[in-house]
Amino acid sequence: SYELTQPLSVSVALGQTARITCGGNNIGSKNVHWYQQKPGQAPVLVIYRDSNRPSGIPERFSGSNSGNTATLTISRAQAGDEADYYCQVWDSSTACEVFGTGTKVTVL
Amino acid sequence: QVQLVQSGAEVKKPGASVKVSCKASGYTFTSYDINWVRQATGQGLEWMGWMNPNSGNTGYAQKFQGRVTMTRNTSISTAYMELSSLRSEDTAVYYCARSLAAAGSMDVWGKGTTVTVSS
C-alpha cells in the first residue's frame, strides 16, 4: 500500500519560515492536500491540489509537489500556526485515501 | 453556512456495533462524497472509506472491509457509518468530511464523535 512519510516535528522561530515535507513514491504525479489540526479540533484544509489555498487561508501558507516530495511552507510563522499538519493523497492502485504520518509544528 | 453535524459520544462494549450519523446542511447533500476518518488519542488520521450520497456507492479501506457499512438517507441529508464487532482498539474520534469526488480534498469536516469501547 502507498505510504506517506512526514517528519515527526518541525520547529520554527516566530516570523520565520517552516517547511513540512511529505515523502512518497512518485508523489509528484499525485494531487496532494494538506490539513492543519489544532488540539481538540477537527482538521482544516489549508492547501488542496498541491498548491491551492481555500478561501480564508492566509497567503502565508503555500505548497509545492515534485518528484518524491511534497512540501507545505508556512511563511512568517505565527503562534497560531502551532498545530499538527497532515498531507493526503488518493492512491489509485488501492482506491483509497492515504494520510501522512503527521508533523507537529512548534513556533518558538 | 455549510456544515456537517455529527451525533453525540457513544460508549460501547466489545463485540457491539456503533452507528454514527453526519447531517449535512448549507449545500446539496448529493453533490459531494462523504468520507469517514478516525483518530485514536495521540495518533494520526486514518481514512476508513467514502460514500457517494447520490448513488449510494461506497469504498472502504481494506482494514475495515467486512466490519464497516456506510449508508445515507437523502431525505434528511444524513450519512451514517456503522462499525461492528467493536474492540478496544476502535476507541477513537470519528469524523465525517465531504469531498467533491474521490481524490478530492476534504474541505468541510464534522466536529467528530467520540466512540469509547470498554467492558
Side-chain angles (χ1 to χ4, degrees):
Chain A
S1 60
Y2 194 77
E3 294 185 354
L4 295 173
T5 303
Q6 299 180 233
L8 201 56
S9 63
V10 166
S11 296
V12 58
L14 187 68
Q16 297 304 302
T17 298
R19 292 180 180 84
I20 304 155
T21 58
C22 175
N25 184 35
N26 197 27
I27 195 174
S29 67
K30 301 180 184 297
N31 287 318
V32 179
H33 315 299
W34 290 91
Y35 302 88
Q36 175 194 70
Q37 186 181 33
K38 296 182 178 179
Q41 298 184 20
V44 172
L45 178 69
V46 292
I47 292 289
Y48 65 97
R49 280 191 269 120
D50 297 344
S51 58
N52 298 277
R53 275 177 295 102
S55 108
I57 300 301
E59 290 183 10
R60 301 183 299 101
F61 288 84
S62 61
S64 62
N65 184 19
S66 177
N68 293 318
T69 305
T71 302
L72 173 68
T73 301
I74 307 172
S75 304
R76 302 182 299 284
Q78 301 179 358
D81 299 333
E82 283 204 340
D84 294 326
Y85 291 83
Y86 295 90
C87 56
Q88 176 235 321
V89 301
W90 169 257
D91 178 18
S92 56
S93 66
T94 56
C96 287
E97 302 286 0
V98 178
F99 284 100
T101 49
T103 298
K104 181 176 182 58
V105 170
T106 301
V107 179
L108 305 172
Chain B
Q1 74 279 26
V2 176
Q3 59 179 351
L4 298 172
V5 177
Q6 298 187 223
S7 48
E10 303 262 14
V11 179
K12 296 291 183 181
K13 293 196 182 304
S17 296
V18 68
K19 191 170 185 177
V20 179
S21 68
C22 172
K23 182 173 177 58
S25 62
Y27 73 97
T28 302
F29 177 60
T30 51
S31 295
Y32 291 78
D33 290 348
I34 294 288
N35 296 266
W36 290 90
V37 177
R38 77 177 188 179
Q39 185 174 39
T41 301
Q43 302 301 307
L45 301 174
E46 182 176 32
W47 182 78
M48 300 178 69
W50 64 271
M51 180 195 64
N52 181 302
N54 187 43
S55 63
N57 288 346
T58 56
Y60 303 139
Q62 187 172 8
K63 175 177 179 177
F64 300 102
Q65 292 270 3
R67 274 209 311 143
V68 71
T69 305
M70 296 177 188
T71 57
R72 88 289 192 208
N73 182 334
T74 55
S75 67
I76 56 171
S77 300
T78 300
Y80 303 93
M81 186 283 299
E82 184 169 21
L83 189 63
S84 62
S85 303
L86 290 169
R87 33 210 189 229
S88 59
E89 310 89 87
D90 294 317
T91 294
V93 177
Y94 289 75
Y95 295 101
C96 60
R98 78 168 195 181
S99 62
L100 197 50
S105 56
M106 299 176 206
D107 67 338
V108 178
W109 293 64
K111 292 189 184 305
T113 296
T114 300
V115 175
T116 304
V117 183
S118 173
S119 54

